[in-house]
Amino acid sequence: MRMPKPDASVVGRRDAIVGQLREIVATEGVIVDEDEMRAYECDGLTAYRQLPFIVVLPETTEQVSRILKLCHAEGVKVVPRGAGTSLSGGALPLADAITLGLAKFNRILDVDLDNRCVVAQPGVTNLGITDAVKSQGFYYAPDPSSQIACTIGGNVAENSGGVHCLKYGLTTNNLLGLEMVLITGEVIRIGGKHLDSEGYDLLGLVTGSEGLLGVVTEVTVRILPRPEMARALLAGFPSSEAAGACVAQVIGAGIIPAGMEMMDRPAIHAAEDFVHAGYPLDADALLIVELDGPEAEVAHLVDRVTGIARESGAGELRVSADDEERERFWAGRKAAFPAVGRISPDYYCMDGTIPRRRLAEVLRRMAEMSRRHGLRVANVFHAGDGNLHPLILYDANRPGELESAETFGAEILKLCVEVGGVLTGEHGVGVEKRDLMGVMFTEDDLNHQQRVKCAFDAESLLNPGKVYPILRRCAELGRLHVRAGQVRFPDIPRF
Amino acid sequence: MTDVLAPRDADDVLDAVAESLATGRPVDVVAAGSKRNFGRPCETACELDVSALSGIDLYEPDELVVGMGAATPLVALEAALEAERQMLSFEPPDLGPVLGAPAGQSTVGGVLACNLSGPRRIMAGAARDHFLGFNAVSGRGEAFKSGGRVVKNVTGFDLSKLIAGSFGTLAVLTHVVLRVLPSPEDERTVLIAGLADAQAVSAMSAAMNGPYDVSGAAHLPAPVASASANEAVSGLGASTTAIRIEGPAPSVEARTRAVSALVSEFGPTHVLDRAQSGSLWREVRDVSYFAADGRQVWRISVAPAAGAGVGGQIAAATNGTVFYDWAGGLVWLAIPALDDAGHETIRGAIRDIGGHATLVRADPEVRAAVSVFQPQPAPLAALAARIKDSFDPRHVLNPGRMAQV
Ligand SMILES: Cc1cc2nc3c(=O)[nH]c(=O)nc-3n(C[C@H](O)[C@H](O)[C@H](O)COP(=O)(O)OP(=O)(O)OC[C@H]3O[C@@H](n4cnc5c(N)ncnc54)[C@H](O)[C@@H]3O)c2cc1C
C-alpha cells in the first residue's frame, strides 16, 4: 500500500510544532513519546501500522480550531481519530501527520425529549447515546457491533450501520446536525434540531466522508421511543438459495423486519462452538429475523414470517419466547467475528454489498476462490439489505498468506461490483479499498468527488492517502477543457 | 425569446452543456416545469428541456429498488409502484398547484432536485434518504455517476445527498435510482378537535414519544381546518390536530386505540377511516389550503417543540395564516403579498432557535430581490460557493437559482 511520501520539511520541524501545539493544548494532551504513541499506531485494520508523527488530544472546539489553523499554516497533515475501530484503515496514522484524537470530547451536551434528539460530543460512544436516554424509554437506532467502543464521531465519518439499519436506517438517516471545524480553523454548523439542511446538503455529504472534509466536534442525532416488544425467529435452511428466497419473500410480502441476518455453514459452526446459542448444525444457512413494534403487530408478523420460512423450506424453526431467548439467538451472530477469530489465527473482514438476488451466485463463486487461494471463508450477511461480510481465514505467520488473503478479498469486492453491488457497505474505503475505487468509478466519477475534497481542503491536509488514490493537485483537477473550437452546434432538437 | 434545447438522451445532455460552456450561454434545466416558480428566477433565456429522459428501466420489488430516466413523471412511477403495493415512503408532495402549475406534473428528478418530502418525513426520512444513486452531467460538461442501486453503500462521498436539494445548480440528472418500500396495509388518523397551537404541539409530541410509530402529525388551526375538503375535518368547526397510524391491520387497530386513549386528555378525539385519512394527508402534503389564493407562501423548518411559538409569533406579525406538519417542526405560512415578503420578520423569528425559512411562492420580482433560501453564515456560504464552482465553474446551470441576495 503506497502512502503519500512523508514531508521531510515537516518532519524536521517536529520540535517546533510540538511547542506550538503545547501552547494550544495542555502538555499531557500532546503525546510525543514513542511508547505512548504505540496505542495509536493502527485501527481495527491491524495489518497496517504506522507510528503517528505527534498525537494531540484537544478538549474544546476552540482548541481543534486553533490546531487545524496551525496545521493549515504550517502545511502539516492531520488524521482525525475516534476510538480507532475502523476496519478499513481510515484512522491509520501517517509518519508526518498529527493524529487528532477526539477521546476527550466525551460529554452528552443535551438530551431533548421534546424534540426527540440528543446533542453529543463526537467522542461519546455509540452505546453512550442510548445509555443516556434508556431510562426515559428511548434509544439511538444505528447499532454497529462495535457500539460499546466506537464513537459517534467515527460513526458519522464512516456512515456506520448495524443489524437494525434495514428498518431504521444508517447513521446518515438518523443525523440532524453537526458542528465541524474546517482545515482553515473555521467552525461551521450544519442542521440542528430541525429537519433538512438549508442550502446544499452538507450534512449528507460529510456523513461517510472518512475524516477527509473536516473534524466533527458536535453531533445531534435523532432518538426513537423503544418499541413495545421484539421477537426473533431462528430458521435453518438446507441451502443459501432457500434462505435467500425466504428473505425475498418476506420483503415481497411487504414486511420490513427490524433485522434480517444470514450466516453460512462455517459461520454457524464457529459461532455455535463459541457461544452455544443452539444453532442448527445441519443447516447450510441460518436466518435470524427480528420483528419489533407494538405487541399486536409483532404477533401478527411473527406468524406471517414463520409461514413464509416454512414454505421456503426451513428445517429447524424457532421463535423466541422472551427477551432472554431472543438475545441468545443474537449472541452467536453478534460474536461471529471473535468466534471466527478462535478457529483461525487471523481473519480478514470484507464488506461488499450486492443485489440480494445474486447471493447464491456470489457465494458459489466465492467458494471457488476459496479453493483456489487455499483459504477458508465464513460468511455473515446483513441479508435484508445485501451487505455481505465474508471473513477470510488466514495465518499471518505463514509467509504469503496475508497477501493471498488480500488478493482473495480484492477478488470478492470486484465480484460484488460486477454483479451490480459496491465495494463497501458500511466499513468505509479507508486505505484498504482505496486502490479498488477504479473498479467501481471512472476517472470522471472520481474527479467529481475529489473536487469536493478540494472545496473543503485545497491542500489535501486532512487524512490524505485515504479513500482516493494519491490526489492530483486541486488546481489541475479544477482545470476546465472547454471544447470551444470544436463545438459543432451539435445535433440536439431545439425550438 | 426563449431558446429551448431538447436533448433526446444523456449524450445529448452532454453535448448541450458543452455547447453552453462554449457559447457562454447558461441554461435553465427544466422537465415538466411544475416547479419553475420554485427558487430564485434563473438568469438565462435558454432552456434545457430534459423531459425526454423518461421511463423506468429497473424495478425489482423484492430488492426495493427502482431506476429510471430522471424526468420520469412521478405519477407514472407511483402507478408502477402501486401495482406492486409499494411506494416512495418519503411521500413526495405535489406543489404544482401551490406554485401556479397544474397538479400531477412533477417528475422524479424535480422532486429530488428540490428534496421534497411530505408528512411521512418525520418517520421515513426525506427524499434524499431514499436516493441511492444517479448519472448526471455536471456544469463542467462531463458525465459522472455516484452511488449505486443498493442501500448499504459508503463507497466514496455520498454525492446523491449533495445533488438532492441542489435545484439543478450542480449537475443535470439523467438517470436516478431510488429505494422503495412496501405500502402500509392500512391506515387511520386520530383527530383531536379544538386545541390551541401550543397544546397541539404537546399532544403531537406525546404521541411521537410513545411506541406507536406515528407516520404523520399535523395541526390545522381553525381557519385552515375549515378550508379542508374533508368534511370530517371541516365539519368539526374547530382547529384539528391529526395523528396518522399506518401498518398491518391488527397493529393499526391496536395503535389507534392506544393513541386515542393517550391524547384524549388534550381534547375530544375522533378517528378517520382509511379513505378519509388518505385524503386529509394529501391535502396536508400538497399544502392544498394555500393553493387557491394569491398570498405569498413560506415553508419554515424548526425544532418541533418550537413550532407553535414561531408560528404564532410570525402569524401575528405578518397577519398571516399558518398550519403545522412534522409534529410542529414544519410551519407553512401564507401572508398577504409584500414587496419584501416579510423576510426580515420571518427570518428574525427563527434566528435564535435555528432552522430555515424558504420563500416558496411569490412573484418573480420578489423572489429575485429577496433570498428565497435561508441565507447562510459567511464560512458556510463560501464553502457552498466553492462546491458550486467545483461542479459548475462557469455557472452555466440554473444561474442564480439558489443565489443569496
Ligand atoms: C469488532 C468490530 C465490529 C464492527 N462492526 C461494525 C458494524 O456492525 N457496522 C459498521 O458500520 N461498522 C462496524 N465496525 C467498524 C467501526 O466500528 C466503525 O466504522 C466505527 O464507526 C468507527 O468509529 P471509531 O470511533 O472507532 O472511528 P475511528 O476508527 O477512530 O475512525 C474512523 C474514521 O473516522 C474518522 N473520524 C473519527 N472521528 C472523527 C471526527 N470526530 N471527525 C472527523 N473524522 C473522524 C477517522 O479519520 C477515520 O477515517 C466494526 C469494527 C469492529 C472492530
Side-chain angles (χ1 to χ4, degrees), chain A residues 80 82-86 90 102 145-146 151 155 157-158 160-161 210 214 216 426 463:
Chain A
T85 66
S86 163
L102 290 137
S145 315
S146 51
T151 66
N155 290 176
E158 300 284 10
S160 301
E210 304 196 25
V216 173
E426 57 181 14
N463 221 4

Side-chain angles (χ1 to χ4, degrees), chain A residues 196 297 356-357 445 491, chain B residues 8 62-63 145 251 356:
Chain A
D196 298 341
E297 175 164 332
R356 233 182 318 99
R357 60 175 61 185
D445 298 340
D491 162 40
Chain B
R8 291 154 298 193
D62 64 358
E63 302 262 350
K145 68 170 181 299
S251 167
H356 49 95

Side-chain angles (χ1 to χ4, degrees), chain B residues 267-292:
Chain B
T269 65
H270 175 78
V271 175
L272 294 187
D273 66 19
R274 182 182 182 145
Q276 291 171 326
S277 172
S279 78
L280 171 63
W281 289 102
R282 270 191 299 281
E283 289 178 358
V284 172
R285 182 192 75 183
D286 297 345
V287 202
S288 305
Y289 313 113
F290 297 161

Side-chain angles (χ1 to χ4, degrees), chain B residues 289-365:
Chain B
Y289 313 113
F290 297 161
D293 64 46
R295 292 180 293 174
Q296 293 168 339
V297 174
W298 285 85
R299 181 181 184 271
I300 304 163
S301 176
V302 290
V310 165
Q313 182 190 338
I314 295 177
T318 58
N319 194 22
T321 311
V322 291
F323 76 91
Y324 306 85
D325 195 357
W326 298 355
L330 182 66
V331 183
W332 283 101
L333 166 75
I335 58 168
L338 295 168
D339 287 347
D340 71 350
H343 71 104
E344 281 174 13
T345 309
I346 290 159
R347 290 191 170 128
I350 62 171
R351 186 163 301 132
D352 294 334
I353 56 161
H356 49 95
T358 306
L359 177 56
V360 172
R361 183 174 72 201
D363 288 342
E365 304 75 56

